[in-house]
Amino acid sequence: MHSIAFYLLLLISFTAIAIPPTTSATTIGVTYSTPASISGSVMLSPDRIAAKVVSMKIPAVRLLDSNPAMIRAFAYTNVSLFLSIPNPLVPLLASNRSLAMRWVYRHVLPFYPRTKISIISVGNDAISYSPDVSPFLLRAMQNVHLSLTDLRIYKISVSTTFSFFNIVPTAFPPSSAQFQQPNGEVIIRPILQFLERTNSSFLINLFPYNMYRSSFSIPIGFALFEEFPFNFRDDLTTGVRYRNLFDMMVDAVISSMAVMGHENLPVIVAETGWPSSGIDSSEVDATLLYSEMFLKALLAHLRSGSGTPLRKEGVSEVYIFELVEKDAKQGIRNWGLLHHNMTNKYSFEFSDGGKARRLLLIGFFLELVMLCLLM
């Protein structure tokens, strides 16, 4: 009997070591951009934002404006940062290598590696930006990458962020998806080659809410991950059944990359979410209830580690848009996890606090106890 107890304790010890701290294959972060104006007397200082992120156990933040003070605030926090270079700078960085080096000197060198910077996006949805800066994307990315290499910084990858609706015209069936032409051949193909060569990731802004609104044939439950008998879409070409819109859109991106011979590139969803209020009264599905349902279901789906039908490991990172709500006023959608005064907007916790791991361990212990009782 003593030997059974000994082996039981031994197995429990090994199990506790072997099971990783989280069952999620995907890093789940948030986006943050410095508000144009501060609401009332609430001061959203960089230190306060960083402290809130740490308290919410958020492991990664995408800084949409890469404010150096904000980058500094995340030093020694273990929060990974995803930096962005604004679209107006893209032609300048493409034409002048020294300007690219200057950007790196200002936004990376003073802080790295005390601040964990993981990736830099050169531009955000540059294809839709006016004036069109997309022809300069690749050269700007190359110059930023070379600047990092010159400084012997090899662990920060360089990419650019695309918007799903501006590069993938048809999401269903995912197996037939292709990048919009001529941008697919002229802009995206050379960028995919650069990403492959430099071990970087394909970055995509992907909003199921927008696709749901654009198609009457998509039921709300399919967009909200609800488990109903008819909440699915079958891709007849591959025989794959899709049970939510998020996976379908991700696989449309993967299929589009596969057409160009880059099906194995890691994918990062740089923005996703569901608004809690819309631009006007016509957006009847932009509600706090649906927003909370979407976010809770998305987090549970990503933490399950089930991936997508075309990619079992799923996307490597997902960033929820956005951390802090802009001031509530007419004519804008509200997406924030927090109100603009930094109070919680939803009842659920962003972090599961290791709950999944604890449940897994408890289940394993119970199995061991039953096994020993039967011996």
Side-chain angles (χ1 to χ4, degrees), residues 81-144:
L81 292 190
F82 169 158
L83 305 186
S84 304
I85 297 176
N87 291 332
L89 287 183
V90 170
L92 298 172
L93 300 186
S95 60
N96 192 327
R97 171 84 184 281
S98 65
L99 285 178
M101 180 63 85
R102 194 179 303 174
W103 191 93
V104 171
Y105 260 97
R106 183 161 188 257
H107 295 85
V108 177
L109 200 61
F111 316 112
Y112 182 82
R114 294 183 300 279
T115 300
K116 284 177 61 179
I117 301 168
S118 62
I119 192 164
I120 297 169
S121 173
V122 179
N124 180 31
D125 190 18
I127 282 176
S128 70
Y129 183 75
S130 182
D132 184 15
V133 299
S134 58
F136 302 98
L137 277 174
L138 181 59
R139 174 56 64 186
M141 291 163 65
Q142 289 169 334
N143 283 345
V144 172

Side-chain angles (χ1 to χ4, degrees), residues 121-231:
S121 173
V122 179
N124 180 31
D125 190 18
I127 282 176
S128 70
Y129 183 75
S130 182
D132 184 15
V133 299
S134 58
F136 302 98
L137 277 174
L138 181 59
R139 174 56 64 186
M141 291 163 65
Q142 289 169 334
N143 283 345
V144 172
H145 175 72
L146 288 169
S147 298
L148 291 168
T149 304
D150 286 349
L151 294 169
R152 298 189 178 185
I153 298 172
Y154 304 113
K155 292 186 177 179
I156 300 176
S157 58
V158 177
S159 188
T160 187
T161 305
F162 293 102
S163 177
F164 185 91
F165 275 88
N166 292 323
I167 62 167
V168 183
T170 307
F172 189 81
S175 60
S176 302
Q178 294 189 41
F179 291 126
Q180 181 98 46
Q181 298 301 343
N183 286 328
E185 282 298 327
V186 177
I187 306 296
I188 300 175
R189 184 185 286 277
I191 286 175
L192 291 173
Q193 292 167 350
F194 169 84
L195 299 178
E196 195 85 62
R197 204 166 51 246
T198 58
N199 295 316
S200 192
S201 302
F202 189 80
L203 313 180
I204 189 82
N205 296 336
L206 186 150
F207 289 91
Y209 173 76
N210 292 339
M211 175 151 284
Y212 162 72
R213 287 194 75 224
S214 70
S215 175
F216 291 111
S217 66
I218 298 174
I220 185 77
F222 188 63
L224 295 174
F225 297 87
E226 287 194 310
E227 293 285 341
F228 286 155
F230 300 107
N231 277 344

Side-chain angles (χ1 to χ4, degrees), residues 55-96:
S55 72
M56 292 173 73
K57 299 183 176 65
I58 297 172
V61 174
R62 180 188 180 198
L63 295 180
L64 288 161
D65 48 16
S66 298
N67 178 355
M70 190 64 71
I71 299 170
R72 182 183 294 108
F74 281 98
Y76 304 111
T77 62
N78 212 33
V79 174
S80 177
L81 292 190
F82 169 158
L83 305 186
S84 304
I85 297 176
N87 291 332
L89 287 183
V90 170
L92 298 172
L93 300 186
S95 60
N96 192 327

Side-chain angles (χ1 to χ4, degrees), residues 262-279:
H262 298 279
E263 63 271 18
N264 294 320
L265 269 178
V267 174
I268 291 175
V269 176
E271 289 178 16
T272 194
W274 193 284
S276 58
S277 66
I279 292 172

